[in-house]
Amino acid sequence: MNQDRIRLLQQFLDEEPEDPFNWYALALEETKTNSERAAELFEYVLKNHPTYLPAYYHAGNLYLSTGNRVRAKEILQSGVNLANEKGEQKSMGELNTLLDQLND
C-alpha cells in the first residue's frame, strides 16, 4: 500500500513540482519507511518554499525522532518564528511543544 501511495504522490509531484504540498505530502509518506528520503524532501520544501508552515513541524519531528536534535531545534525555531510572523498561534503552540521536548 505504501509504495502505491508513494508512486501516486510522486506522480503528483512530477506533474506540479512548483506546488509545495506535493513535496510535503511525499515527505510525510516517506517518513513511514525511508527517513533519509523524507529528510531530503522536507529540506527541499524548507529551502525552496520557506513560508510553507506545515513542513516545519513534521520536519522537526522527523529530525527529533532520528536523533538529530540540533537540526530539529533549528527547524522548529524557524517554524516558531514563521508562525509568529503569520499570526498562526495554534501552529506556534504545536512547534513550541516539540521544542520543549528537546529541553527535557
Side-chain angles (χ1 to χ4, degrees):
M1 176 68 178
N2 183 280
Q3 290 303 315
D4 291 339
R5 288 182 54 82
I6 287 173
R7 277 192 290 278
L8 180 61
L9 292 168
Q10 183 65 55
Q11 180 182 343
F12 293 153
L13 177 60
D14 292 343
E15 291 171 1
E16 292 185 78
E18 70 286 346
D19 185 346
F21 177 78
N22 291 330
W23 293 91
Y24 168 76
L26 183 56
L28 281 178
E29 193 63 30
E30 289 284 9
T31 61
K32 298 173 185 173
T33 58
N34 188 344
S35 59
E36 282 185 33
R37 176 74 173 133
E40 291 170 5
L41 293 163
F42 279 129
E43 290 293 345
Y44 179 89
V45 176
L46 296 172
K47 179 180 178 192
N48 295 289
H49 303 282
T51 60
Y52 193 74
L53 186 56
Y56 289 86
Y57 178 89
H58 292 285
N61 193 41
L62 173 67
Y63 282 108
L64 182 61
S65 70
T66 59
N68 190 339
R69 297 171 67 84
V70 172
R71 185 64 180 133
K73 187 173 184 173
E74 293 170 350
I75 291 169
L76 294 169
Q77 190 58 61
S78 294
V80 167
N81 295 341
L82 178 62
N84 187 45
E85 289 172 20
K86 290 183 158 204
E88 296 281 346
Q89 298 302 313
K90 182 175 186 279
S91 295
M92 192 166 56
E94 293 169 346
L95 291 159
N96 274 317
T97 298
L98 276 183
L99 265 174
D100 289 345
Q101 290 180 23
L102 287 168
N103 298 322
D104 289 346

